[in-house]
Amino acid sequence: MKNIAILGSTGSIGKTTLDIISQNRGVFNLYAISCNKNIFEISQQIVQFCPKIVVVFDEKKAKELKKNFPNQKILSGLKGLIEIATDPNVDFVLSSIMGSIGLVPTIEAIKANKVIGLANKEVLVAAGELVNKLLKEHKSIIIPVDSEHSAIFQALKGEKKENVKRIILTASGGPFLNFSTEMFKNITIEKALKHPNFSMGRKITIDSSTLMNKGFEVIEAFYLFNVDIEKIDVIIHKEQIIHSMVEFIDGSILAQMSTPTMKIPIQYALSYPDRILTDIDDFDFLKNNNLTFVKPDMEKFRCLKLAFEALKIGKSMPCFLNASNEILVEKFLNNKISWLEISKKLEKLMSLHEPKNMLCLEDVLEVDKLSRVLAGEV
Ligand code: MN
């Protein structure tokens, strides 16, 4: 039995993970769960799974929950998250708290030599270099949960790094793929929140519409697979059947494909290196007989270009990009700036940032904080 701790069990990745655990009770045991403040949702999870430890980030809400579950071990705050991420009984930590709150507990899980299923993009985007340094010093391993990185991870299994010619990340292109620059001016929050294939959280859905999500995935791929930037490509594949590919020096291309569902990559991370049965229907090739590929237009979708630039600049720039983008997306969702202004303001902010070395967690947190302040002001 694998004891699982979920950082962020009330989000969409967390909930899909719970489905997988409930269908595989003999294989996985839900040891700890956590939420920000959704105690309604987490109450149901407590009743269904009886976890040993529950963390509610918001202290007030944690106390409120304790009244309803007086015998349940309930912790709060960052301290609580770190406790479950490093608990000696935990075999697998699912890092799925969106935003930079997830960074510290994930770093602590690495230091505690845990197997980590990584669904939180910010960890590698903001602190890729630091994470890789820590991974060398500890026995921890990171298994990607994001569908693209899971695909690449699977395609690279047993392969030599020097035989990789390029990594090709596929992208849905988001809801505005065929919009003209003129139409970009009239994008509303409602339109941006409609993703063609996946139902996800609000922030990541906006990032998908600007292609920033793909930009972050490029940065993540760089740190996860240790390949040169020039060897990472993005292609629009709107059917989302191929989840990403690896091309090797002999011309072979390995693609991982399936019905588009997060269940498969999450389950693979949980069961790795094994595979377990799912309830997903046999893939229907005849219904999916038209797979298309289009080059992304980085002049139109500036965010993707900015992500490549941030990665080339390196040092603190990806971290700066990540935090600034988070604030700008929040502003867009609060009707304070337009959709087009997300990339415009980001570009301006990046030109103001002087990249610094990021040698420890404090450096990362400092850049993160600084960029949030700056992004709040533009
Ligand atoms: Mn993805």
Side-chain angles (χ1 to χ4, degrees):
M1 284 275 265
K2 266 187 201 175
N3 274 336
I4 315 282
I6 303 180
L7 306 175
S9 64
T10 56
S12 94
I13 301 280
K15 283 195 271 189
T16 307
T17 308
L18 291 180
D19 281 346
I20 296 165
I21 294 174
S22 73
Q23 287 166 1
N24 296 280
R25 295 262 195 183
V27 190
F28 308 122
N29 172 47
L30 188 65
Y31 186 83
I33 49 180
S34 83
C35 69
N36 181 20
K37 53 184 167 191
N38 189 348
I39 55 170
F40 174 75
E41 185 97 39
I42 214 161
S43 295
Q44 295 170 330
Q45 297 178 351
I46 296 171
V47 173
Q48 196 188 342
F49 292 94
C50 309
K52 266 259 153 49
I53 311 173
V54 175
V55 179
V56 180
F57 189 75
D58 185 297
E59 204 173 321
K60 260 193 196 155
K61 291 281 179 186
K63 281 186 185 143
E64 221 177 299
L65 185 69
K66 185 75 184 170
K67 277 184 208 151
N68 297 333
F69 295 92
N71 299 320
Q72 173 72 52
K73 182 170 179 184
I74 298 172
L75 307 169
S76 69
L78 198 53
K79 218 173 139 241
L81 293 176
I82 293 171
E83 184 162 334
I84 59 170
T86 59
D87 189 302
N89 294 312
V90 168
D91 303 301
F92 183 99
V93 176
L94 181 78
S95 170
S96 61
I97 298 177
M98 297 305 152
S100 42
I101 301 171
L103 181 61
V104 176
T106 308
I107 297 267
E108 292 304 319
I110 296 174
K111 290 183 187 164
N113 302 310
K114 297 298 179 194
V115 176
I116 299 165
L118 188 66
N120 168 321
K121 292 205 161 76
E122 287 79 4
V123 170
L124 283 171
V125 176
E129 246 173 90
L130 176 68
V131 165
N132 279 345
K133 188 182 129 217
L134 290 171
L135 284 174
K136 272 187 200 142
E137 293 164 7
H138 297 87
K139 276 182 291 181
S140 171
I141 61 161
I142 288 185
I143 305 163
V145 166
D146 209 351
S147 59
E148 292 78 0
H149 304 86
S150 176
I152 298 161
F153 185 77
Q154 293 180 57
L156 286 174
K157 205 172 164 188
E159 299 288 349
K160 286 182 186 159
K161 202 188 123 192
E162 60 264 36
N163 291 343
V164 173
K165 196 195 229 168
R166 65 182 171 136
I167 279 174
I168 305 148
L169 287 156
T170 53
S172 74
F176 310 130
L177 181 62
N178 298 318
F179 272 37
S180 64
T181 319
E182 201 48 41
M183 287 159 85
F184 279 169
K185 290 179 187 158
N186 304 317
I187 291 172
T188 59
I189 300 170
E190 292 69 34
K191 280 186 202 157
L193 282 175
K194 276 203 189 98
H195 188 273
N197 297 85
F198 285 112
S199 142
M200 307 171 289
R202 284 159 66 89
K203 196 255 174 189
I204 188 170
T205 305
I206 302 302
D207 285 341
S208 296
S209 80
T210 61
L211 296 199
M212 182 53 96
N213 182 56
K214 206 50 56 181
F216 288 155
E217 289 179 357
V218 167
I219 299 173
E220 265 191 292
F222 174 81
Y223 290 115
L224 267 175
F225 306 115
N226 296 302
V227 291
D228 299 338
I229 304 170
E230 295 72 34
K231 289 186 177 176
I232 306 175
D233 270 347
V234 173
I235 196 155
I236 309 277
H237 167 51
K238 67 175 184 333
E239 297 79 16
Q240 295 281 278
I241 298 298
I242 294 177
H243 303 300
S244 280
M245 303 174 256
V246 177
E247 186 174 8
F248 295 92
I249 50 170
D250 63 353
S252 284
I253 298 165
L254 292 188
Q256 186 262 351
M257 51 196 284
S258 73
T259 305
T261 163
M262 281 309 291
K263 198 166 183 180
I264 296 173
I266 296 171
Q267 180 168 306
Y268 185 72
L270 285 165
S271 66
Y272 174 83
D274 206 354
R275 291 184 188 270
I276 49 176
L277 194 70
T278 53
D279 54 1
I280 290 162
D281 291 340
D282 288 357
F283 186 76
D284 192 337
F285 283 92
L286 302 181
K287 271 189 191 154
N288 294 286
N289 61 358
N290 189 21
L291 303 185
T292 63
F293 304 94
V294 180
K295 194 179 151 80
D297 186 340
M298 293 210 252
E299 294 314 314
K300 261 171 72 183
F301 291 93
R302 300 290 298 169
C303 284
L304 181 57
K305 189 170 187 171
L306 292 175
F308 269 105
E309 274 170 19
L311 186 56
K312 272 179 206 148
I313 296 165
K315 293 186 179 176
S316 57
M317 196 56 97
C319 174
F320 182 86
L321 174 83
N322 170 60
S324 311
N325 176 68
E326 198 175 314
I327 297 297
L328 294 173
V329 168
E330 209 177 286
K331 280 190 171 181
F332 168 70
L333 286 170
N334 290 325
N335 244 322
K336 298 226 168 75
I337 61 170
S338 70
W339 185 87
L340 260 182
E341 278 176 304
I342 299 173
S343 61
K344 278 192 187 139
K345 288 185 185 294
L346 213 46
E347 194 156 6
K348 188 179 164 215
L349 283 163
M350 275 175 69
S351 71
L352 298 172
H353 179 63
E354 185 120 13
K356 299 179 184 59
N357 282 320
M358 305 244 272
L359 305 170
C360 58
L361 185 61
E362 286 67 36
D363 294 339
V364 175
L365 296 175
E366 199 186 302
V367 171
D368 182 88
K369 209 171 139 189
L370 171 95
S371 46
R372 279 163 206 276
V373 174
L374 283 176
E377 288 164 357
V378 292

